[in-house]
Amino acid sequence: MSVFSERRESVRVALRDAFAQAVQDGDLPAVPPLEFVVESPPQAEFGDWSTNLAMVAARPCRMAPRAIAERIVPRVLGRIPDVDRVEVAGPGFINVFLHPGWLAPVVREVLRGGPEYGRELRPRSERILVEFVSANPTGPLNVVNCRAAAFGDALVRCLRAAGYTADAEFYVNDAGGQFQRLAASLEARLAVLRGDRQIPEIPEGGYPGEYLIPIAEEFAATHGFAILECSPEERVQTLGRFAVEHLLSEQQAVLERFGVSFHCFFRESEIRAAGDPERVVAALSAAGHTAERDGAVWLLSQQAGDNDDRVLRKSNGQFTYRVPDIAYHIRKFERGYDRLINIYGQDHHGEVPAVRIALQWLGYPVERMEVLLTQMVRLIKQGHEVKVSKRGGSFVAMSDFIDEVGVDAARYLFLTRTIDTHFDFDLDLALRQSQDNPVYYVQYAHARISGILRNAADAGFTVGTAEGIDSTVLTAVAETQLLQELARYPEEVRQAAEGRAPHRLTAFCQRVAERFHVFYVQCRVLGQPAPVTVARLQLCAATAQVLRSALGLLGVTAPERM
């Protein structure tokens, strides 16, 4: 357990015992066990720890929170190691202030742990599957896919750091109506290349983007035009499969360039070939959860609170896309995953209830299925929305976007916000080399520390081993505030994972960088008495280690020179 976690637990126990003592003394009424939060407050003036215990107790005690807090505080003193004072704030928050000495072990803990500091080394039993991006293989990935990729990949990294077995998966929609429309769109491009007088029309909902032209050229160069004389079924399968494999390969390449890798690319065509959709509809029908209307099979999902009943199989015998989706989630559970996290585009929100309802009716634990929706992105330059796509169509291609701003800036800036909010991505800010640019500011802090350590080595100083650290000389306010942030890192990793909130780590990196820059200005490292210089060098090395680790979970580099 980290120093941070140990202190938090000691504060929690002390508060619990102080409340129990107040009950025993007759100052508070007896109530059922309370669930309260002990957390590190966002501002140092609120102490090292803050709790909502009095607020939580207000209703069952039928008392004002502040009155409860005033009865608890005198009984807390003496129960917490290193306590300096305990105060009541605002309507009833209890703030705990510790002596700065409690932070002395932090530098040793960071340097001893190295890259493992902040990670949960005891594996958790829960296996988690995170599905993200899952873009239709009908065109290049776009800027919203880029945002989902940054979030999903960072979440998987955080989950693994928190001790979970977490796999990343991309679901490939390589069958159904969109597959047929892609094949027809490629057929039209191929007919143009052959010089046909009558060109097949790109179907409604098809893909008119220019990105299909080089795919048609590659097909013609490899296979000629004979496919245009084959049966409609063969044209769909041959051209559709060729286009899917080409586009999927392109999608994989840009994702790898973005630092994103997947445990599995799971294909819809596999589900259909195995007969899973038929089994899903048959099972739901056998259980009485479907009805036939006008030759179509409907899921009676209104009975479970959905806005409408949903078509499962059309009157022409074709399955709607939600049936393979249901089958896919069954496959997820049957592969042994305990929790499913799906990161979808915001346009999927209306379809999620039907999938949940069907899974529940089929006996699967839908309470273990989480759906996070990615909101839209606008690209802003000089205050105006812009397009940077070179691929044709109405989208902004992910490859063009990262050409424009770079991988680090794209990943970091996307992760400064929760995924469920609309995002105006400022292209000018992403390219700015100043403290106004959050990623530059944090990376510069790491590079500055690297420079300090190089200069120290040139002057004959070394950081030394973790066992040789004397952090008791780090008593300046700027030093203790920086130590506080380093101590919080394991908790930030845990909360980023469990709260599905990688943005906590970008906020954390900003705070560490800010604290370090203040330390750099106020606390000279070289030219001090040897014990002070060595301790401050060790603090610098610990800060660099934490920044590297946190940036690594975000998929962002930590440069040593800028």
Side-chain angles (χ1 to χ4, degrees):
M1 184 179 292
S2 67
V3 173
F4 184 93
S5 298
E6 287 177 356
R7 285 296 184 273
R8 181 185 61 187
E9 186 58 25
S10 68
V11 170
R12 181 188 301 280
V13 170
L15 288 163
R16 183 197 64 199
D17 293 347
F19 187 93
Q21 185 66 53
V23 172
Q24 184 177 334
D25 294 343
D27 284 348
L28 290 175
V31 297
L34 300 170
E35 292 294 330
F36 59 96
V37 174
V38 176
E39 59 187 357
S40 185
Q43 294 177 303
E45 56 264 33
F46 298 140
D48 295 284
W49 304 99
S50 183
T51 181
N52 65 344
L53 172 58
M55 327 286 277
V56 171
R59 183 181 294 273
C61 287
R62 298 184 179 181
M63 294 174 62
R66 191 173 181 90
I68 296 172
E70 289 170 348
R71 287 163 172 78
I72 295 173
V73 163
R75 296 173 168 88
V76 173
L77 291 170
R79 296 178 185 271
I80 303 173
D82 302 319
V83 69
D84 181 41
R85 66 188 190 277
V86 183
E87 298 177 349
V88 180
F93 289 103
I94 299 174
N95 296 334
V96 178
F97 296 78
L98 302 181
H99 293 296
W102 81 273
L103 294 163
V106 171
V107 172
R108 179 181 294 107
E109 186 177 4
V110 175
L111 296 184
R112 183 182 292 156
E116 298 303 314
Y117 175 72
R119 303 180 72 90
E120 176 56 64
L121 301 181
R122 295 169 299 178
R124 301 174 189 262
S125 59
E126 191 172 46
R127 293 186 66 217
I128 301 176
L129 182 64
V130 184
E131 180 205 339
F132 60 101
V133 182
S134 294
N136 288 338
T138 54
L141 298 179
N142 60 38
V143 70
V144 179
N145 300 140
C146 187
R147 183 184 189 187
F151 178 86
D153 184 64
L155 178 57
V156 170
R157 293 173 189 238
C158 290
L159 288 167
R160 290 171 179 166
Y164 295 96
T165 298
D167 290 330
E169 187 158 288
F170 186 118
Y171 181 52
V172 183
N173 297 103
D174 63 339
Q178 51 86 20
F179 177 83
Q180 296 170 3
R181 291 189 291 274
L182 176 63
S185 301
L186 182 58
E187 181 181 348
R189 293 296 190 183
L190 203 57
V192 170
L193 285 179
R194 191 172 69 170
D196 291 2
R197 291 184 177 180
Q198 292 187 334
I199 307 300
E201 289 187 6
I202 293 176
E204 184 178 354
Y207 307 98
E210 295 178 4
Y211 59 85
L212 283 180
I213 295 175
I215 299 177
E217 292 171 343
E218 182 179 333
F219 185 93
T222 307
H223 303 288
F225 298 99
I227 188 64
L228 297 177
E229 309 305 326
C230 295
S231 67
E233 294 78 11
E234 189 171 351
R235 293 201 303 273
V236 167
Q237 287 303 314
T238 300
L239 295 175
R241 188 60 50 201
F242 186 88
V244 161
E245 298 308 322
H246 188 288
L247 290 166
L248 182 60
S249 176
E250 184 179 86
Q251 291 177 350
Q252 288 177 278
V254 73
L255 287 166
E256 289 174 3
R257 179 183 165 202
F258 199 55
V260 179
S261 61
F262 288 91
H263 174 75
C264 178
F265 284 80
F266 199 98
R267 294 172 178 263
E268 179 183 348
S269 56
E270 178 182 334
I271 289 173
R272 288 179 179 262
D276 289 12
E278 289 82 357
R279 283 190 287 273
V280 165
V281 173
L284 288 168
S285 297
H289 297 304
T290 66
E292 188 170 334
R293 301 173 191 160
D294 301 323
V297 177
W298 293 71
L299 180 70
L300 301 177
S301 50
Q302 283 192 88
Q303 295 177 355
D306 197 3
N307 292 332
D308 297 291
D309 292 340
R310 308 289 178 173
V311 177
L312 297 178
R313 188 168 57 208
K314 302 175 186 178
S315 58
N316 62 6
Q318 293 186 348
F319 294 107
T320 57
Y321 60 86
R322 64 180 60 90
V323 180
D325 278 356
I326 296 166
Y328 173 46
H329 284 83
I330 291 173
R331 289 281 194 108
K332 290 181 179 182
F333 282 120
E334 290 181 346
R335 283 186 281 156
Y337 290 103
D338 303 300
R339 182 165 298 277
L340 313 180
I341 301 176
N342 299 339
I343 301 168
Y344 291 155
Q346 53 91 23
D347 56 328
H348 281 69
H349 70 92
E351 293 302 322
V352 173
V355 174
R356 285 187 179 277
I357 290 165
L359 288 170
Q360 185 172 22
W361 280 343
L362 293 172
Y364 292 92
V366 293
E367 70 278 3
R368 299 181 191 170
M369 172 182 164
E370 303 174 27
V371 176
L372 309 176
L373 298 179
T374 310
Q375 291 295 330
M376 298 302 293
V377 177
R378 292 194 314 161
L379 300 182
I380 306 297
K381 192 174 184 66
Q382 297 180 351
H384 301 285
E385 184 175 6
V386 297
K387 302 288 186 182
V388 298
S389 178
K390 308 181 183 77
R391 302 297 303 273
S394 59
F395 58 85
V396 177
M398 177 175 170
S399 58
D400 297 336
F401 173 66
I402 60 179
D403 282 344
E404 181 83 5
V405 302
V407 171
D408 283 348
R411 290 188 67 125
Y412 191 95
L413 292 176
F414 274 140
L415 293 170
T416 58
R417 301 274 290 279
T418 59
I419 200 169
D420 59 353
T421 58
H422 289 274
F423 195 101
D424 283 353
F425 192 103
D426 189 330
L427 295 168
D428 298 314
L429 177 65
L431 297 172
R432 195 173 299 153
Q433 295 188 357
S434 73
Q435 65 179 14
D436 296 332
N437 180 348
V439 64
Y440 181 87
Y441 185 67
V442 171
Q443 289 180 320
Y444 184 70
H446 184 271
R448 172 173 271 178
I449 295 171
S450 299
I452 292 172
L453 296 177
R454 285 193 301 271
N455 292 337
D458 292 342
F461 288 97
T462 60
V463 172
T465 65
E467 282 62 33
I469 290 172
D470 179 13
S471 298
T472 58
V473 300
L474 301 175
T475 58
V477 172
E479 292 168 332
T480 57
Q481 289 183 343
L482 180 54
L483 283 167
Q484 282 177 322
E485 293 299 340
L486 303 187
R488 292 172 62 166
Y489 180 57
E491 179 71 4
E492 291 294 338
V493 172
R494 184 187 67 81
Q495 292 193 21
E498 295 181 358
R500 318 307 186 222
H503 69 277
R504 289 188 66 97
L505 291 183
T506 54
F508 171 76
C509 287
Q510 293 298 123
R511 294 198 306 272
V512 172
E514 289 169 6
R515 298 297 194 198
F516 173 76
H517 289 307
V518 171
F519 161 80
Y520 178 81
V521 171
Q522 297 183 2
C523 301
R524 186 177 179 84
V525 177
L526 299 178
Q528 303 298 305
V532 174
T533 290
V534 171
R536 287 177 176 174
L537 284 173
Q538 291 164 339
L539 177 56
C540 287
T543 303
Q545 177 58 64
V546 168
L547 283 175
R548 279 194 302 275
S549 295
L551 288 171
L553 293 182
L554 298 170
V556 176
T557 62
E560 295 188 358
R561 287 181 168 85
M562 291 180 69

